[in-house]
Amino acid sequence: MKRKIYLSLMVCFTLILASSKFNNAHSQTAGTLTFNVNPVSRTGYNGLDHYVAIWLENSTTTFVKTKLKRADSHGSNSHLLVWKGKSASNVVDATTGASLTSYSPLSITWNGTDVSGAIVPDGTYKVWVEFTWNHGATGTGTTTTSLQFTKGPAADSQTLAATGFFTGVSLTWTPAGGVGVQTVENNTGINVYPNPSNGLVNIDMKQALNGSIIVENTIGAVVYEEKVNTSNAEVKTIDLSKFANGTYFVNVQSKNNTESQKFKIILNK
C-alpha cells in the first residue's frame, strides 16, 4: 500500500514539473522591438543604389518575419541571397519598396509576431541585416550582420560596435506595459522617466533630498555621480547621452544612505 502511495505521489510530482516546464517554455510576452542600423555609404555598379533586407530568426535559425525589404525583383533574386534563402521571399507585414538611392539610418519595429500574426514564444532571437551595393555581379558586394536579444517579460537593450559596413546598430525590446520604474528598498516617492530614454533622464523627487544620484552600468561601474541638496520637491534632469545605448541603474540615496531607491533605465538614442 505504501509503495502504491509513493508511486502515485511520484507520478503527480512528475506531471506538475512537466506542466511547469511546458508553461515556461511556451510563455508568449507581447511587446515591441525597435531596431536601428545605418549602412555605410559605398559606390557600386549603379552609383549609390543599394539593396537592404532586415528580418528576424529564432534561436534555431528559423525564419520568423521580414521587416524591411528594399529591392526590386532583380535585386531580391540576385543580390539579397541570404535573406531569400531564409525567408523564401516572404514579406508579410514588411515595409517594401524599390532599391535605395541614398544612404541614411534605417529603423524597424516588431510586435513579437510571426507571419501568421501569432505572438512567438519567449526566448533568444536575432535581427539580421543584409546589405548589397554592387549590382554588377550576382552575389558580390554583399555583407550581413546580426544582433541577438532576449524576448520576454524583461526589457533588453543591445548595441553592436561600428564596422566598415554598418554603424549605429542598436535594439531595444520593451515588453507590453513598458519598462516601468523599478523601485527597491524604501519608497520615497521618486519617479524616473522617460524609460527608455534618449539620454536625458528626469528624476522627479517628491520631497527634499540631501544625498546623491549615482548611475551604474550593468557590471556595477559608476559612470555618473552628482550631489543633490534640495529643500523642496524638484525635478532633476541628468544627461547620459554621452554613454552607449544599453541598460543602466540610477541610484538615488540620502546622505547617510539611510534611504535609497534604484531604478533600471534603458538608453536608446
Side-chain angles (χ1 to χ4, degrees):
M1 182 66 179
K2 289 182 178 180
R3 181 174 177 79
K4 289 183 178 179
I5 294 174
Y6 174 76
L7 289 174
S8 297
L9 289 173
M10 286 297 294
V11 169
C12 290
F13 183 65
T14 302
L15 288 174
I16 291 170
L17 283 179
S19 176
S20 175
K21 290 180 179 179
F22 178 85
N23 289 333
N24 289 337
H26 289 77
S27 297
Q28 295 169 293
T29 303
T32 301
L33 176 81
T34 301
F35 175 80
N36 305 290
V37 62
N38 188 17
V40 175
S41 178
R42 291 178 178 275
T43 301
Y45 182 78
N46 289 331
L48 294 180
D49 278 10
H50 57 287
Y51 302 145
V52 179
I54 302 176
W55 71 97
L56 290 99
E57 297 179 10
N58 64 18
S59 59
T60 62
T61 72
T62 300
F63 170 77
V64 175
K65 178 177 276 190
T66 301
K67 289 306 302 175
L68 177 73
K69 195 264 305 188
R70 293 299 303 268
D72 54 28
S73 59
H74 171 71
S76 302
N77 294 328
S78 301
H79 301 294
L80 296 175
L81 300 180
V82 177
W83 168 78
K84 181 182 177 183
K86 285 291 186 177
S87 68
S89 301
N90 188 303
V91 291
V92 172
D93 292 338
T95 298
T96 60
S99 61
L100 297 168
T101 58
S102 62
Y103 284 83
S104 60
L106 302 172
S107 181
I108 62 97
T109 59
W110 176 58
N111 62 0
T113 63
D114 59 19
V115 294
S116 70
I119 297 177
V120 298
D122 291 352
T124 301
Y125 290 82
K126 278 187 178 181
V127 181
W128 280 90
V129 183
E130 184 173 17
F131 159 48
T132 179
W133 60 92
N134 188 357
H135 303 170
T138 299
T140 64
T142 297
T143 188
T144 60
T145 193
S146 65
L147 191 54
Q148 181 173 294
F149 70 100
T150 300
K151 174 189 175 292
D156 193 4
S157 184
Q158 303 291 337
T159 60
L160 196 64
T163 68
F165 301 106
F166 300 102
T167 63
V169 183
S170 67
L171 63 76
T172 299
W173 164 256
T174 305
V179 185
V181 174
Q182 298 187 5
T183 303
V184 297
E185 300 184 41
N186 297 316
N187 184 359
T188 56
I190 298 173
N191 291 320
V192 174
Y193 64 92
N195 196 3
S197 169
N198 63 1
L200 295 178
V201 179
N202 299 310
I203 302 173
D204 186 0
M205 296 173 284
K206 304 296 185 181
Q207 60 189 43
L209 175 68
N210 182 9
S212 302
I213 297 172
I214 300 171
V215 181
E216 300 173 342
N217 60 21
T218 54
I219 62 174
V222 175
V223 298
Y224 180 96
E225 184 172 2
E226 181 178 347
K227 302 295 183 182
V228 178
N229 190 356
T230 65
S231 56
N232 298 295
E234 181 179 316
V235 177
K236 175 71 176 177
T237 300
I238 61 175
D239 187 358
L240 305 180
S241 59
K242 68 179 181 180
F243 302 115
N245 287 343
T247 301
Y248 294 85
F249 297 94
V250 179
N251 299 279
V252 182
Q253 59 189 40
S254 62
K255 185 175 182 179
N256 298 319
N257 203 24
T258 56
E259 293 183 338
S260 176
Q261 283 189 274
K262 180 181 286 187
F263 305 87
K264 180 179 178 180
I265 193 84
I266 305 295
L267 287 189
N268 183 27
K269 297 171 287 181

